[in-house]
PDB file of all heavy atoms in Angstrom:
ATOM      1  N   ASP A   1      10.186   9.016 -66.040  1.00 98.00           N
ATOM      2  CA  ASP A   1      10.249  10.411 -65.709  1.00 98.00           C
ATOM      3  C   ASP A   1      11.537  11.053 -66.385  1.00 98.00           C
ATOM      4  O   ASP A   1      11.616  12.194 -66.929  1.00 98.00           O
ATOM      5  CB  ASP A   1      10.415  10.638 -64.124  1.00 98.00           C
ATOM      6  CG  ASP A   1       9.086  10.462 -63.613  1.00 98.00           C
ATOM      7  OD1 ASP A   1       8.016  10.428 -64.135  1.00 98.00           O
ATOM      8  OD2 ASP A   1       9.024  10.196 -62.188  1.00 98.00           O
ATOM      9  N   GLY A   2      12.626  10.368 -66.343  1.00 98.00           N
ATOM     10  CA  GLY A   2      13.851  10.736 -66.902  1.00 98.00           C
ATOM     11  C   GLY A   2      13.699  11.002 -68.479  1.00 98.00           C
ATOM     12  O   GLY A   2      14.244  12.047 -68.999  1.00 98.00           O
ATOM     13  N   TYR A   3      13.013  10.055 -69.155  1.00 98.00           N
ATOM     14  CA  TYR A   3      12.637  10.174 -70.519  1.00 98.00           C
ATOM     15  C   TYR A   3      11.956  11.545 -70.773  1.00 98.00           C
ATOM     16  O   TYR A   3      12.327  12.414 -71.588  1.00 98.00           O
ATOM     17  CB  TYR A   3      11.921   9.007 -71.031  1.00 98.00           C
ATOM     18  CG  TYR A   3      11.616   8.906 -72.410  1.00 98.00           C
ATOM     19  CD1 TYR A   3      12.271   8.095 -73.268  1.00 98.00           C
ATOM     20  CD2 TYR A   3      10.577   9.858 -73.000  1.00 98.00           C
ATOM     21  CE1 TYR A   3      11.874   8.044 -74.630  1.00 98.00           C
ATOM     22  CE2 TYR A   3      10.308   9.801 -74.354  1.00 98.00           C
ATOM     23  CZ  TYR A   3      11.063   8.871 -75.195  1.00 98.00           C
ATOM     24  OH  TYR A   3      10.674   8.877 -76.538  1.00 98.00           O
ATOM     25  N   ASP A   4      10.909  11.673 -69.967  1.00 98.00           N
ATOM     26  CA  ASP A   4      10.111  12.979 -70.203  1.00 98.00           C
ATOM     27  C   ASP A   4      10.843  14.242 -69.837  1.00 98.00           C
ATOM     28  O   ASP A   4      10.647  15.167 -70.628  1.00 98.00           O
ATOM     29  CB  ASP A   4       8.916  12.848 -69.149  1.00 98.00           C
ATOM     30  CG  ASP A   4       7.812  11.881 -69.553  1.00 98.00           C
ATOM     31  OD1 ASP A   4       8.041  11.256 -70.691  1.00 98.00           O
ATOM     32  OD2 ASP A   4       6.923  11.570 -68.854  1.00 98.00           O
ATOM     33  N   ILE A   5      11.765  14.247 -68.957  1.00 98.00           N
ATOM     34  CA  ILE A   5      12.505  15.446 -68.603  1.00 98.00           C
ATOM     35  C   ILE A   5      13.486  15.713 -69.758  1.00 98.00           C
ATOM     36  O   ILE A   5      13.661  16.828 -70.315  1.00 98.00           O
ATOM     37  CB  ILE A   5      13.375  15.171 -67.390  1.00 98.00           C
ATOM     38  CG1 ILE A   5      12.517  15.096 -66.060  1.00 98.00           C
ATOM     39  CG2 ILE A   5      14.415  16.308 -67.214  1.00 98.00           C
ATOM     40  CD1 ILE A   5      13.210  14.539 -64.867  1.00 98.00           C
ATOM     41  N   ILE A   6      14.202  14.678 -70.380  1.00 98.00           N
ATOM     42  CA  ILE A   6      15.011  14.917 -71.484  1.00 98.00           C
ATOM     43  C   ILE A   6      14.150  15.373 -72.699  1.00 98.00           C
ATOM     44  O   ILE A   6      14.652  16.335 -73.409  1.00 98.00           O
ATOM     45  CB  ILE A   6      15.669  13.609 -71.887  1.00 98.00           C
ATOM     46  CG1 ILE A   6      16.684  13.276 -70.753  1.00 98.00           C
ATOM     47  CG2 ILE A   6      16.370  13.621 -73.171  1.00 98.00           C
ATOM     48  CD1 ILE A   6      17.346  11.973 -70.833  1.00 98.00           C
ATOM     49  N   GLU A   7      13.013  14.925 -72.912  1.00 98.00           N
ATOM     50  CA  GLU A   7      12.172  15.399 -74.028  1.00 98.00           C
ATOM     51  C   GLU A   7      11.909  16.842 -73.829  1.00 98.00           C
ATOM     52  O   GLU A   7      11.887  17.608 -74.695  1.00 98.00           O
ATOM     53  CB  GLU A   7      10.951  14.647 -74.247  1.00 98.00           C
ATOM     54  CG  GLU A   7      11.154  13.217 -74.724  1.00 98.00           C
ATOM     55  CD  GLU A   7      11.510  13.267 -76.097  1.00 98.00           C
ATOM     56  OE1 GLU A   7      10.762  13.564 -76.982  1.00 98.00           O
ATOM     57  OE2 GLU A   7      12.708  12.907 -76.441  1.00 98.00           O
ATOM     58  N   TRP A   8      11.602  17.374 -72.628  1.00 98.00           N
ATOM     59  CA  TRP A   8      11.134  18.609 -72.279  1.00 98.00           C
ATOM     60  C   TRP A   8      12.453  19.501 -72.525  1.00 98.00           C
ATOM     61  O   TRP A   8      12.357  20.566 -73.151  1.00 98.00           O
ATOM     62  CB  TRP A   8      10.792  18.766 -70.817  1.00 98.00           C
ATOM     63  CG  TRP A   8      10.509  20.141 -70.276  1.00 98.00           C
ATOM     64  CD1 TRP A   8       9.306  20.733 -70.393  1.00 98.00           C
ATOM     65  CD2 TRP A   8      11.394  21.022 -69.754  1.00 98.00           C
ATOM     66  NE1 TRP A   8       9.373  22.115 -69.983  1.00 98.00           N
ATOM     67  CE2 TRP A   8      10.667  22.237 -69.589  1.00 98.00           C
ATOM     68  CE3 TRP A   8      12.725  21.126 -69.427  1.00 98.00           C
ATOM     69  CZ2 TRP A   8      11.265  23.440 -69.086  1.00 98.00           C
ATOM     70  CZ3 TRP A   8      13.311  22.194 -68.800  1.00 98.00           C
ATOM     71  CH2 TRP A   8      12.604  23.349 -68.610  1.00 98.00           C
ATOM     72  N   ILE A   9      13.608  19.022 -72.123  1.00 98.00           N
ATOM     73  CA  ILE A   9      14.956  19.773 -72.221  1.00 98.00           C
ATOM     74  C   ILE A   9      15.086  20.196 -73.746  1.00 98.00           C
ATOM     75  O   ILE A   9      15.406  21.243 -74.120  1.00 98.00           O
ATOM     76  CB  ILE A   9      16.084  19.119 -71.633  1.00 98.00           C
ATOM     77  CG1 ILE A   9      16.026  19.015 -70.217  1.00 98.00           C
ATOM     78  CG2 ILE A   9      17.358  19.754 -72.248  1.00 98.00           C
ATOM     79  CD1 ILE A   9      17.101  18.183 -69.441  1.00 98.00           C
ATOM     80  N   THR A  10      14.957  19.138 -74.575  1.00 98.00           N
ATOM     81  CA  THR A  10      15.175  19.345 -76.011  1.00 98.00           C
ATOM     82  C   THR A  10      14.243  20.299 -76.791  1.00 98.00           C
ATOM     83  O   THR A  10      14.505  20.744 -77.866  1.00 98.00           O
ATOM     84  CB  THR A  10      15.357  17.975 -76.799  1.00 98.00           C
ATOM     85  OG1 THR A  10      13.988  17.266 -76.631  1.00 98.00           O
ATOM     86  CG2 THR A  10      16.288  17.027 -76.100  1.00 98.00           C
ATOM     87  N   GLN A  11      13.131  20.548 -75.960  1.00 97.00           N
ATOM     88  CA  GLN A  11      12.087  21.581 -76.629  1.00 97.00           C
ATOM     89  C   GLN A  11      12.446  22.874 -76.247  1.00 97.00           C
ATOM     90  O   GLN A  11      11.787  23.870 -76.764  1.00 97.00           O
ATOM     91  CB  GLN A  11      10.768  21.074 -76.263  1.00 97.00           C
ATOM     92  CG  GLN A  11      10.300  19.708 -76.773  1.00 97.00           C
ATOM     93  CD  GLN A  11       8.998  19.234 -76.181  1.00 97.00           C
ATOM     94  OE1 GLN A  11       8.356  19.980 -75.418  1.00 97.00           O
ATOM     95  NE2 GLN A  11       8.740  18.051 -76.294  1.00 97.00           N
ATOM     96  N   GLN A  12      13.400  23.245 -75.417  1.00 96.00           N
ATOM     97  CA  GLN A  12      13.741  24.434 -74.941  1.00 96.00           C
ATOM     98  C   GLN A  12      14.609  25.276 -75.911  1.00 96.00           C
ATOM     99  O   GLN A  12      15.438  24.625 -76.589  1.00 96.00           O
ATOM    100  CB  GLN A  12      14.391  24.587 -73.608  1.00 96.00           C
ATOM    101  CG  GLN A  12      13.599  23.754 -72.487  1.00 96.00           C
ATOM    102  CD  GLN A  12      12.046  24.090 -72.516  1.00 96.00           C
ATOM    103  OE1 GLN A  12      11.710  25.321 -72.299  1.00 96.00           O
ATOM    104  NE2 GLN A  12      11.243  23.094 -72.729  1.00 96.00           N
ATOM    105  N   SER A  13      14.480  26.531 -75.956  1.00 93.00           N
ATOM    106  CA  SER A  13      15.193  27.420 -76.942  1.00 93.00           C
ATOM    107  C   SER A  13      16.674  27.381 -76.715  1.00 93.00           C
ATOM    108  O   SER A  13      17.549  27.562 -77.670  1.00 93.00           O
ATOM    109  CB  SER A  13      14.665  28.757 -76.981  1.00 93.00           C
ATOM    110  OG  SER A  13      15.005  29.373 -75.647  1.00 93.00           O
ATOM    111  N   TRP A  14      17.067  27.118 -75.588  1.00 94.00           N
ATOM    112  CA  TRP A  14      18.506  27.096 -75.220  1.00 94.00           C
ATOM    113  C   TRP A  14      19.188  25.739 -75.367  1.00 94.00           C
ATOM    114  O   TRP A  14      20.361  25.588 -75.122  1.00 94.00           O
ATOM    115  CB  TRP A  14      18.719  27.603 -73.657  1.00 94.00           C
ATOM    116  CG  TRP A  14      17.762  27.028 -72.686  1.00 94.00           C
ATOM    117  CD1 TRP A  14      16.663  27.706 -72.272  1.00 94.00           C
ATOM    118  CD2 TRP A  14      17.731  25.806 -72.114  1.00 94.00           C
ATOM    119  NE1 TRP A  14      15.957  26.912 -71.428  1.00 94.00           N
ATOM    120  CE2 TRP A  14      16.656  25.714 -71.218  1.00 94.00           C
ATOM    121  CE3 TRP A  14      18.594  24.583 -72.202  1.00 94.00           C
ATOM    122  CZ2 TRP A  14      16.367  24.499 -70.580  1.00 94.00           C
ATOM    123  CZ3 TRP A  14      18.392  23.539 -71.409  1.00 94.00           C
ATOM    124  CH2 TRP A  14      17.256  23.522 -70.571  1.00 94.00           C
ATOM    125  N   SER A  15      18.316  24.796 -75.764  1.00 97.00           N
ATOM    126  CA  SER A  15      19.079  23.425 -75.939  1.00 97.00           C
ATOM    127  C   SER A  15      19.396  23.117 -77.345  1.00 97.00           C
ATOM    128  O   SER A  15      18.717  23.474 -78.323  1.00 97.00           O
ATOM    129  CB  SER A  15      17.890  22.340 -75.584  1.00 97.00           C
ATOM    130  OG  SER A  15      18.304  21.023 -75.878  1.00 97.00           O
ATOM    131  N   ASN A  16      20.614  22.538 -77.546  1.00 96.00           N
ATOM    132  CA  ASN A  16      20.968  22.028 -78.891  1.00 96.00           C
ATOM    133  C   ASN A  16      20.548  20.620 -79.207  1.00 96.00           C
ATOM    134  O   ASN A  16      20.923  20.055 -80.229  1.00 96.00           O
ATOM    135  CB  ASN A  16      22.514  22.144 -78.981  1.00 96.00           C
ATOM    136  CG  ASN A  16      23.329  21.287 -78.148  1.00 96.00           C
ATOM    137  OD1 ASN A  16      22.751  20.301 -77.446  1.00 96.00           O
ATOM    138  ND2 ASN A  16      24.625  21.277 -78.123  1.00 96.00           N
ATOM    139  N   GLY A  17      19.677  20.023 -78.269  1.00 98.00           N
ATOM    140  CA  GLY A  17      19.214  18.718 -78.547  1.00 98.00           C
ATOM    141  C   GLY A  17      20.027  17.560 -78.054  1.00 98.00           C
ATOM    142  O   GLY A  17      19.647  16.384 -78.222  1.00 98.00           O
ATOM    143  N   LYS A  18      21.052  17.862 -77.396  1.00 98.00           N
ATOM    144  CA  LYS A  18      21.883  16.778 -76.749  1.00 98.00           C
ATOM    145  C   LYS A  18      21.873  16.899 -75.236  1.00 98.00           C
ATOM    146  O   LYS A  18      22.037  17.938 -74.757  1.00 98.00           O
ATOM    147  CB  LYS A  18      23.343  16.997 -77.223  1.00 98.00           C
ATOM    148  CG  LYS A  18      23.460  16.691 -78.772  1.00 98.00           C
ATOM    149  CD  LYS A  18      24.929  16.951 -79.185  1.00 98.00           C
ATOM    150  CE  LYS A  18      25.107  16.638 -80.656  1.00 98.00           C
ATOM    151  NZ  LYS A  18      26.493  16.813 -81.125  1.00 98.00           N
ATOM    152  N   VAL A  19      21.717  15.722 -74.594  1.00 98.00           N
ATOM    153  CA  VAL A  19      21.614  15.606 -73.166  1.00 98.00           C
ATOM    154  C   VAL A  19      22.439  14.504 -72.652  1.00 98.00           C
ATOM    155  O   VAL A  19      22.411  13.370 -73.149  1.00 98.00           O
ATOM    156  CB  VAL A  19      20.141  15.421 -72.612  1.00 98.00           C
ATOM    157  CG1 VAL A  19      20.018  15.275 -71.111  1.00 98.00           C
ATOM    158  CG2 VAL A  19      19.240  16.566 -73.205  1.00 98.00           C
ATOM    159  N   GLY A  20      23.285  14.796 -71.682  1.00 98.00           N
ATOM    160  CA  GLY A  20      24.059  13.716 -70.958  1.00 98.00           C
ATOM    161  C   GLY A  20      23.603  13.704 -69.467  1.00 98.00           C
ATOM    162  O   GLY A  20      22.961  14.765 -69.042  1.00 98.00           O
ATOM    163  N   THR A  21      23.759  12.748 -68.748  1.00 98.00           N
ATOM    164  CA  THR A  21      23.389  12.615 -67.380  1.00 98.00           C
ATOM    165  C   THR A  21      24.647  12.431 -66.481  1.00 98.00           C
ATOM    166  O   THR A  21      25.695  11.914 -66.909  1.00 98.00           O
ATOM    167  CB  THR A  21      22.434  11.470 -67.094  1.00 98.00           C
ATOM    168  OG1 THR A  21      22.927  10.245 -67.475  1.00 98.00           O
ATOM    169  CG2 THR A  21      21.135  11.796 -67.896  1.00 98.00           C
ATOM    170  N   TRP A  22      24.598  12.847 -65.253  1.00 97.00           N
ATOM    171  CA  TRP A  22      25.649  12.675 -64.244  1.00 97.00           C
ATOM    172  C   TRP A  22      25.036  12.477 -62.780  1.00 97.00           C
ATOM    173  O   TRP A  22      24.077  12.915 -62.454  1.00 97.00           O
ATOM    174  CB  TRP A  22      26.511  14.036 -64.218  1.00 97.00           C
ATOM    175  CG  TRP A  22      27.683  14.023 -63.365  1.00 97.00           C
ATOM    176  CD1 TRP A  22      29.043  13.704 -63.684  1.00 97.00           C
ATOM    177  CD2 TRP A  22      27.717  14.425 -61.979  1.00 97.00           C
ATOM    178  NE1 TRP A  22      29.720  13.834 -62.464  1.00 97.00           N
ATOM    179  CE2 TRP A  22      28.940  14.303 -61.438  1.00 97.00           C
ATOM    180  CE3 TRP A  22      26.740  14.920 -61.107  1.00 97.00           C
ATOM    181  CZ2 TRP A  22      29.325  14.671 -60.232  1.00 97.00           C
ATOM    182  CZ3 TRP A  22      27.004  15.330 -59.808  1.00 97.00           C
ATOM    183  CH2 TRP A  22      28.384  15.050 -59.349  1.00 97.00           C
ATOM    184  N   GLY A  23      25.920  11.783 -62.121  1.00 96.00           N
ATOM    185  CA  GLY A  23      25.610  11.816 -60.607  1.00 96.00           C
ATOM    186  C   GLY A  23      26.037  10.479 -59.955  1.00 96.00           C
ATOM    187  O   GLY A  23      26.221   9.339 -60.622  1.00 96.00           O
ATOM    188  N   PRO A  24      26.373  10.513 -58.712  1.00 94.00           N
ATOM    189  CA  PRO A  24      26.835   9.307 -57.927  1.00 94.00           C
ATOM    190  C   PRO A  24      25.712   8.536 -57.134  1.00 94.00           C
ATOM    191  O   PRO A  24      24.644   9.175 -56.882  1.00 94.00           O
ATOM    192  CB  PRO A  24      27.763   9.940 -56.952  1.00 94.00           C
ATOM    193  CG  PRO A  24      27.230  11.329 -56.691  1.00 94.00           C
ATOM    194  CD  PRO A  24      26.544  11.757 -57.893  1.00 94.00           C
ATOM    195  N   SER A  25      25.979   7.340 -56.843  1.00 90.00           N
ATOM    196  CA  SER A  25      25.044   6.527 -55.986  1.00 90.00           C
ATOM    197  C   SER A  25      23.591   6.479 -56.626  1.00 90.00           C
ATOM    198  O   SER A  25      23.439   6.044 -57.707  1.00 90.00           O
ATOM    199  CB  SER A  25      25.023   6.995 -54.535  1.00 90.00           C
ATOM    200  OG  SER A  25      24.479   6.144 -53.626  1.00 90.00           O
ATOM    201  N   ALA A  26      22.590   6.948 -55.850  1.00 91.00           N
ATOM    202  CA  ALA A  26      21.284   7.010 -56.261  1.00 91.00           C
ATOM    203  C   ALA A  26      21.060   7.849 -57.546  1.00 91.00           C
ATOM    204  O   ALA A  26      20.240   7.452 -58.382  1.00 91.00           O
ATOM    205  CB  ALA A  26      20.279   7.467 -55.227  1.00 91.00           C
ATOM    206  N   LEU A  27      21.947   8.827 -57.575  1.00 95.00           N
ATOM    207  CA  LEU A  27      21.905   9.718 -58.873  1.00 95.00           C
ATOM    208  C   LEU A  27      22.417   9.025 -60.078  1.00 95.00           C
ATOM    209  O   LEU A  27      22.220   9.418 -61.058  1.00 95.00           O
ATOM    210  CB  LEU A  27      22.600  11.041 -58.558  1.00 95.00           C
ATOM    211  CG  LEU A  27      21.955  12.097 -57.657  1.00 95.00           C
ATOM    212  CD1 LEU A  27      22.022  11.620 -56.161  1.00 95.00           C
ATOM    213  CD2 LEU A  27      22.781  13.422 -57.818  1.00 95.00           C
ATOM    214  N   GLY A  28      23.204   8.004 -59.740  1.00 95.00           N
ATOM    215  CA  GLY A  28      23.827   7.135 -60.924  1.00 95.00           C
ATOM    216  C   GLY A  28      22.813   6.052 -61.312  1.00 95.00           C
ATOM    217  O   GLY A  28      22.584   5.754 -62.493  1.00 95.00           O
ATOM    218  N   ARG A  29      22.093   5.459 -60.211  1.00 93.00           N
ATOM    219  CA  ARG A  29      21.257   4.395 -60.564  1.00 93.00           C
ATOM    220  C   ARG A  29      20.085   4.940 -61.342  1.00 93.00           C
ATOM    221  O   ARG A  29      19.579   4.168 -62.377  1.00 93.00           O
ATOM    222  CB  ARG A  29      20.612   3.843 -59.154  1.00 93.00           C
ATOM    223  CG  ARG A  29      19.767   2.674 -59.378  1.00 93.00           C
ATOM    224  CD  ARG A  29      19.577   1.910 -58.050  1.00 93.00           C
ATOM    225  NE  ARG A  29      20.760   1.006 -57.819  1.00 93.00           N
ATOM    226  CZ  ARG A  29      20.878   0.220 -56.661  1.00 93.00           C
ATOM    227  NH1 ARG A  29      20.050   0.387 -55.689  1.00 93.00           N
ATOM    228  NH2 ARG A  29      21.999  -0.480 -56.593  1.00 93.00           N
ATOM    229  N   ILE A  30      19.567   6.156 -61.185  1.00 96.00           N
ATOM    230  CA  ILE A  30      18.521   6.607 -61.918  1.00 96.00           C
ATOM    231  C   ILE A  30      18.844   6.872 -63.423  1.00 96.00           C
ATOM    232  O   ILE A  30      18.119   6.921 -64.287  1.00 96.00           O
ATOM    233  CB  ILE A  30      17.841   7.786 -61.349  1.00 96.00           C
ATOM    234  CG1 ILE A  30      16.421   8.139 -61.855  1.00 96.00           C
ATOM    235  CG2 ILE A  30      18.778   9.120 -61.479  1.00 96.00           C
ATOM    236  CD1 ILE A  30      15.594   9.155 -61.164  1.00 96.00           C
ATOM    237  N   GLN A  31      20.124   7.057 -63.657  1.00 97.00           N
ATOM    238  CA  GLN A  31      20.694   7.234 -65.027  1.00 97.00           C
ATOM    239  C   GLN A  31      20.462   6.013 -65.846  1.00 97.00           C
ATOM    240  O   GLN A  31      20.151   6.094 -67.012  1.00 97.00           O
ATOM    241  CB  GLN A  31      22.271   7.696 -65.014  1.00 97.00           C
ATOM    242  CG  GLN A  31      22.494   9.017 -64.405  1.00 97.00           C
ATOM    243  CD  GLN A  31      23.948   9.256 -64.428  1.00 97.00           C
ATOM    244  OE1 GLN A  31      24.606   9.445 -65.458  1.00 97.00           O
ATOM    245  NE2 GLN A  31      24.574   9.454 -63.225  1.00 97.00           N
ATOM    246  N   PHE A  32      20.854   4.823 -65.239  1.00 96.00           N
ATOM    247  CA  PHE A  32      20.589   3.543 -65.897  1.00 96.00           C
ATOM    248  C   PHE A  32      19.081   3.357 -66.174  1.00 96.00           C
ATOM    249  O   PHE A  32      18.733   2.859 -67.332  1.00 96.00           O
ATOM    250  CB  PHE A  32      21.134   2.381 -65.140  1.00 96.00           C
ATOM    251  CG  PHE A  32      22.601   2.393 -64.945  1.00 96.00           C
ATOM    252  CD1 PHE A  32      23.295   2.585 -63.704  1.00 96.00           C
ATOM    253  CD2 PHE A  32      23.332   2.205 -66.053  1.00 96.00           C
ATOM    254  CE1 PHE A  32      24.611   2.548 -63.499  1.00 96.00           C
ATOM    255  CE2 PHE A  32      24.875   2.084 -65.973  1.00 96.00           C
ATOM    256  CZ  PHE A  32      25.357   2.352 -64.673  1.00 96.00           C
ATOM    257  N   GLN A  33      18.304   3.775 -65.131  1.00 95.00           N
ATOM    258  CA  GLN A  33      16.895   3.536 -65.380  1.00 95.00           C
ATOM    259  C   GLN A  33      16.246   4.427 -66.576  1.00 95.00           C
ATOM    260  O   GLN A  33      15.443   4.059 -67.365  1.00 95.00           O
ATOM    261  CB  GLN A  33      16.059   3.945 -64.107  1.00 95.00           C
ATOM    262  CG  GLN A  33      16.302   2.938 -62.998  1.00 95.00           C
ATOM    263  CD  GLN A  33      15.853   3.426 -61.569  1.00 95.00           C
ATOM    264  OE1 GLN A  33      15.601   4.597 -61.505  1.00 95.00           O
ATOM    265  NE2 GLN A  33      15.718   2.501 -60.755  1.00 95.00           N
ATOM    266  N   THR A  34      16.864   5.651 -66.638  1.00 98.00           N
ATOM    267  CA  THR A  34      16.557   6.558 -67.775  1.00 98.00           C
ATOM    268  C   THR A  34      17.052   6.052 -69.007  1.00 98.00           C
ATOM    269  O   THR A  34      16.299   6.038 -70.056  1.00 98.00           O
ATOM    270  CB  THR A  34      17.219   7.997 -67.500  1.00 98.00           C
ATOM    271  OG1 THR A  34      16.585   8.492 -66.257  1.00 98.00           O
ATOM    272  CG2 THR A  34      16.863   8.836 -68.703  1.00 98.00           C
TER     273      THR A  34
END
């Protein structure tokens, strides 16, 4: 899901094609999964 979200972001007109992730605890664990 994280992969698909990032792909969607990079297709938007306001995106420069670079994505970083942030978050603590469960929000951190999903970053590793992504």
Side-chain angles (χ1 to χ4, degrees):
D1 285 345
Y3 184 107
D4 292 349
I5 294 167
I6 290 172
E7 288 295 289
W8 179 88
I9 289 171
T10 60
Q11 294 169 14
Q12 307 310 303
S13 60
W14 40 263
S15 170
N16 68 3
K18 296 180 180 180
V19 180
T21 59
W22 179 93
S25 192
L27 288 71
R29 186 163 278 179
I30 198 171
Q31 294 180 63
F32 292 116
Q33 294 169 341
T34 298

